[in-house]
Amino acid sequence: MAGALPPAPDAIRAPEALRKKLAKIGLHREADLPLHLPLRYEDETRITLLNQAFSGEPVQIEVVVHDNEVQFRPRKQMIVRAADDSGEITLRFFSYYPSQQAALAVGSRIRAFGEVRGGFFGLEMVHPRFHKIADDTPLPTEMTPVYPSTAGVANSALLKLVSKALSVLDLADTLPPAIRQRLKLPGLARSLQFLHRPPPGTDLDSLHARHHPAWRRVKFDEVLAQQLSLRRAYLARREQGAPVLVAQDDLGARLVDRLPFGLTGAQLRAMAEIAGDLAQPYPMQRLLQGDVGAGKTIVAALAACQAISAGWQAAFMAPTEILAEQHYLKLRDWLEPLGVRVAWLSGSLKTKAKREHLAATAADAQLVVGTHALIQDGVDFAKLGLAIVDEQHRFGVAQRLALRKKGSNPHQLMMSATPIPRTLAMSYYADLDVTVLDELPPGRTPIKTRLVADNRRQDVVGFVKKHVEEGRQAYWVCPLIEESEALQLQTAQETYETLSVDLPGLTVGLVHGRLKADEKQAVMAAFAAGDISVLVATTVIEVGVDVPNASLMVIEHAERFGLSQLHQLRGRVGRGPYESSCVLIYAGPLGEVARQRLKIIFEHTDGFEIARQDLQIRGPGEFVGARQSGVPLLRYADLEMDADLVEMAREVAEEMLTAHPDLADKHLQRWLGSREELLRS
Ligand code: ADP
Ligand code: MG
């Protein structure tokens, strides 16, 4: 019979029940304990006399109980009256154990910690932490740490475990002394000791605000572990061989010749970098970042050309059906006339068609475009040399890995239109090379953004009408309704119906996520061909859709959207030579955050600036999306406040991996242990 596994040798030594609770808060190994830092501290090293206690201030008092009664009105409570030499106080408890009641018996001497209030009946404390003491119990000489604890682990239990771990574990520094001095960081062991047991008189404010040098040291180590891990994964992949993709003909040049536009300087630079990567004997790991409309697709297409003319296949994966299909149509237009065999693979293809496509991918196609369908079992590439992932943040680690697995170490090009601030990029993309398209194609007309309250919705309808009469097309986007997809469809449906009535003589179309693939395709094709003037849509059109004649974007309930989402949506227009606008309809009254966000999108058009401000409002989570799912987030470092630490850690990681690989190992072991592989993608 399979019994419970014995605890690992480095497991926390505690009864099994407690061990399980600790595991829930991420504490598995003895070595995890010192890195579990207090949330705040309470100063129990001093006693405050009652006549010197200010209302609202957390203090410790030492008193003797002279009365203890339980009242039932207005609600059940235990009322304890106690005094020290200077005054009287009432302690009030609304719930308590019998053992606590006993400890508070008349005559008991207790120390209580809590916030004093000056009430009508004199001083009182509600639910103070307290313990009974003897006449001569000495005061603690250190601050009391309060640990972030859930899962029912008592603070005192954690305190004991951590103390023990601090005294027995090897906390030898993993930063080489020279680096430590250069960065002016204190030693690790000293910092941890200090943070767990700050000496009396320590300025608690700088500890609580986490500005203290000891905190900086811990945060630095944490960020360093992340950088080391990502960087090591990057270097490890470089050790693996990859197909050397050297073009054998002029396919790429012929594509460029056929384009109706010239490439921007940024596109040319990106191309050159990618071309260089593909010709290396190790796999490219490059992220191509560029604002909405920067022209990433053609750069990817040219990379595909290089793979194809080197005799290999390329795969191009996009997160939604609409986007994947649009890429397919565009790439087919570009490449088929040049004799390239382009195949399309999506989840909703009919079975027979799918089988044919599967066969084609295996045998014949040179470029395969599709959705997640590309990574299903049964899709076998004969010779996959380059894997391209569009809107990469929409995919999970496992999905990108699965695409890579379809070949033997293919090169990887990932693309993202969600520009993320530099420190965030450094933190999350440390295992990638990054190319930024920092220049939009010329001739784009700036997009005028307007904010309109929803009681002026009819004006917007009039605006749409005028716009269409001028020969242009418009999008009308209905918001995602988190709670209910059914409700979302209903809203889109209703909007479609009202607009059809309000805009007589105009063709209104509707597209949403629930349509069958061929229905969706038909609507999008009609819109692209100009047969539909106004397209009512849910956020399915958020990414990538490209119809240059559409120059008006209306977004309803704009206050419900994320900023990068609004930016993406707005980027659907301004793609042709026509003056373009984006109308954000909002429903008031707006909360402070909503107001701030709409202001940002109204004032800025640069995706990076929008992202930077968004980060400040929302925190990093949403930017990196699926990439970090399951990854232990940074617990202590804050990417905004500690941006300088990220920069430092990045350099140090590089240096340690070459000059001190054993210390790098030890550092990773300490901070991540077995969790390290979770960080890798
Ligand atoms: P994104 O970077 O958002 O994926 P796309 O690749 O979809 O952008 O390009 C947006 C539009 O700009 C497309 O219609 C594309 O054909 C066009 N485009 C790309 N590069 C250029 C360029 N150098 N000059 C003019 N138009 C371009
Ligand atoms: Mg794109």
Side-chain angles (χ1 to χ4, degrees), residues 25 29 87 99 153 181 280 316 382 462 469 514 567 578 617 637 659:
I25 49 177
R29 309 169 303 163
S99 60
V153 184
Q181 276 158 24
Q280 299 300 322
F316 195 129
E469 281 164 3
R514 271 303 181 82
H567 180 65
Y578 317 107
I617 303 183

Side-chain angles (χ1 to χ4, degrees), residues 261-264 267 291-298 330 334 441-442 444 544 546 575:
F261 49 76
L263 297 170
T264 65
Q267 283 170 321
D291 208 344
V292 181
K296 295 180 287 295
T297 319
I298 184 65
K330 183 168 245 172
W334 278 344
R444 292 282 158 82
D546 185 30
R575 297 186 156 234

Side-chain angles (χ1 to χ4, degrees), residues 68-72 76-79 96 101:
N68 178 333
E69 64 170 313
V70 175
Q71 281 182 2
F72 291 89
K76 186 178 168 198
Q77 51 183 296
M78 172 168 65
I79 293 180
Y96 46 88
Q101 194 172 6

Side-chain angles (χ1 to χ4, degrees), residues 583-650:
V583 178
L584 303 174
I585 305 182
Y586 64 89
L590 291 176
E592 187 46 38
V593 172
R595 186 189 309 276
Q596 260 181 33
R597 288 167 57 199
L598 289 180
K599 184 162 176 276
I600 293 171
I601 202 81
F602 176 72
E603 286 176 353
H604 299 275
T605 49
D606 171 6
F608 280 91
E609 184 54 26
I610 291 171
R612 204 184 62 73
Q613 303 215 16
D614 203 12
L615 176 68
Q616 284 178 344
I617 303 183
R618 275 196 314 175
E622 302 218 13
F623 283 88
V624 282
R627 183 177 175 90
Q628 64 185 16
S629 56
V631 171
L633 289 172
L634 295 175
R635 279 187 292 171
Y636 305 125
D638 172 304
L639 292 175
E640 270 291 296
M641 173 170 133
D642 304 313
D644 63 322
L645 292 181
V646 181
E647 307 244 5
M648 278 156 58
R650 184 175 151 100

Side-chain angles (χ1 to χ4, degrees), residues 22 42 60 209 219 221 229 234 278 328 365 454 597 625 679:
L22 292 169
E42 286 173 352
Q60 175 171 247
K219 295 198 258 190
D221 275 30
S229 175
Y234 172 91
L278 294 177
Y328 168 63
D454 65 354
R597 288 167 57 199
L679 267 173

Side-chain angles (χ1 to χ4, degrees), residues 147-167:
Y147 290 98
S149 166
T150 46
V153 184
N155 195 57
S156 54
L158 265 175
L159 216 146
K160 266 191 211 130
L161 285 169
V162 173
S163 290
K164 172 115 180 300
L166 276 175
S167 64

